[in-house]
Amino acid sequence: MTPAELSSTVLHAVRRAVDAGELDVTVPARAVVATPGPGGCGDYATNIALQLARPAGQPPYRVAEVLRSYLVGVDGVADVVLTGPGFLNISLGGAAPAALVEEILSAGTRYGHADAPDAPDAPDAPDGSVVRLHCPHDLRAVVVADAVARVLRCQGALVRVTAEGFDREWTAALGVRVDGVGPAPAGPPVTVRPVPAPADPLPLGRDAARWALLHPAAHDRPRIGDEHLAQREGNPLFRVRYAHARSRALTRNAADLGFAAAPGPVPDAPQDLLAALGDHPRVLAAAAAHRAPDRIARHLVAVADATLPFLPAVLPRGGEKPSAAHRARLALAEAAGTVLAGGLTLLGIDAPDHL
């Protein structure tokens, strides 16, 4: 069971409790599942009981007890433990990582796109209407609009980008484009107006410049400096690209040892990595809905930071022979690399296999 499937399972438990008359609430649109916090346990936790307590007119712990009875025994759920004021801590069966990894590898870099399995519904233009983005004659605004357009399109929207002014060198240097130049078009366009960059980012080159402009939130002033080019752990872009390149190197190394990836149970799978990978579709949908590509950039950093400590355990050590566990770990590493590559592509940044 993937995190997206688990979220649906929790909502189904709420519906069953409502249908049975044990809860008198409106079933929410989604249930957030995440890695358990301090004092938690299991693979995932949800605060759905705290969310429903007030409308249900019952204490959160009582709501959690009701929902637990509908979750225990569900296929893929091994156990449900209540902690704190009413958190549901859910342990999944051993195949949970395998299902998530298989889903990611099957979808490839389109994992989380609207037409990928289990992806959220497209947030805009489901009827074929066009989302109109308009920005001032400012390089950061054009880059952010370009990234927003990429993310919206991956969620199924039709997008048109216009700008009050555009320099042709921006296309050659940063790969941005607009569909029209001039005043805002007729209709209600979405204005993209982030805080301008304090200096010219073009000397950084395409990848570092786009990252410098997209990683901060739109209301934050970006830093334009050589720190974005540094090949060290203190540079978030380096960590993201390094984690991707390492995952690809492991695939090559495994081939030299005569084995390939195969999704399967990973007993020592890091839960923060599984949670980050499973959260990728939601992050893409939220980035599209809020016109915020910075959410993807920060999410990629979280994926990379969860991936890097796991990679040294993937390949056999010493005289070990490749086993099913090694193939499953390699598949998880490849899934992480796939998510990193897909996210970087949406930001218009290259994901090299060698770094």
Side-chain angles (χ1 to χ4, degrees):
M1 185 182 299
T2 67
E5 292 170 337
L6 178 58
S7 177
S8 297
T9 298
V10 172
L11 289 179
H12 183 62
V14 175
R15 292 190 189 98
R16 291 173 61 195
V18 170
D19 291 343
E22 294 192 65
L23 291 178
D24 183 12
V25 296
T26 299
V27 179
R30 68 187 186 99
V32 177
V33 296
T35 303
C41 59
D43 297 310
Y44 296 99
T46 177
N47 66 347
I48 189 71
L50 283 72
Q51 178 183 341
L52 297 177
R54 177 170 292 181
Q58 300 186 43
Y61 201 87
R62 172 55 188 159
V63 175
E65 289 178 325
V66 171
L67 295 179
R68 181 184 184 279
S69 67
Y70 289 98
L71 287 169
V72 171
V74 171
D75 187 28
V77 175
D79 192 17
V80 181
V81 176
L82 307 186
T83 59
F87 291 103
L88 291 154
N89 297 261
I90 304 170
S91 297
L92 303 178
L100 174 61
V101 169
E102 188 171 2
E103 177 186 355
I104 294 172
L105 296 182
S106 176
T109 55
R110 295 184 64 81
Y111 168 64
H113 290 209
D115 57 353
D118 296 324
D121 293 336
D124 291 280
D127 58 352
S129 60
V130 178
V131 179
R132 301 181 183 277
L133 304 176
H134 185 73
C135 52
H137 183 200
D138 172 71
L139 178 55
R140 189 187 184 198
V142 172
V143 170
V144 171
D146 178 78
V148 170
R150 292 168 184 255
V151 179
L152 282 168
R153 291 182 183 118
C154 94
Q155 295 298 300
L158 300 174
V159 188
R160 178 176 172 82
V161 180
T162 57
E164 294 175 9
F166 186 79
D167 296 347
R168 291 184 178 180
E169 67 172 338
W170 294 351
T171 297
L174 298 183
V176 295
R177 66 179 181 86
V178 297
D179 302 302
V181 178
V190 176
T191 301
V192 179
R193 194 183 295 274
V195 174
D200 182 6
L202 294 183
L204 294 176
R206 172 172 174 163
D207 293 331
R210 289 186 69 106
W211 180 269
L213 298 175
L214 294 173
H215 181 252
H219 58 267
D220 291 330
R221 184 174 297 278
R223 292 183 299 170
I224 306 299
D226 291 344
E227 66 268 21
H228 298 293
L229 300 173
Q231 302 290 297
R232 56 174 182 264
E233 292 185 358
N235 177 5
L237 174 59
F238 172 75
R239 296 204 304 277
V240 171
R241 301 176 85 191
Y242 181 59
H244 169 264
R246 282 284 310 278
S247 72
R248 298 304 182 235
L250 288 173
T251 299
R252 298 192 296 269
N253 295 338
D256 293 339
L257 294 174
F259 76 99
V266 182
D268 54 352
Q271 295 304 311
D272 57 344
L273 175 57
L274 294 175
L277 297 181
D279 204 32
H280 188 65
R282 184 197 63 79
V283 172
L284 296 190
H290 296 279
R291 321 292 194 249
D294 57 285
R295 296 190 180 206
I296 298 176
R298 291 194 297 273
H299 175 65
L300 294 181
V301 175
V303 172
D305 288 346
T307 299
L308 287 170
F310 169 71
L311 298 182
V314 170
L315 297 180
R317 298 181 180 180
E320 280 186 309
K321 293 184 178 181
S323 65
H326 293 113
R327 289 190 286 273
R329 292 191 191 105
L330 179 61
L332 178 55
E334 288 185 356
T338 297
V339 167
L340 292 171
L344 286 171
T345 299
L346 286 175
L347 297 179
I349 297 172
D350 184 38
D353 288 349
H354 302 269
L355 195 62

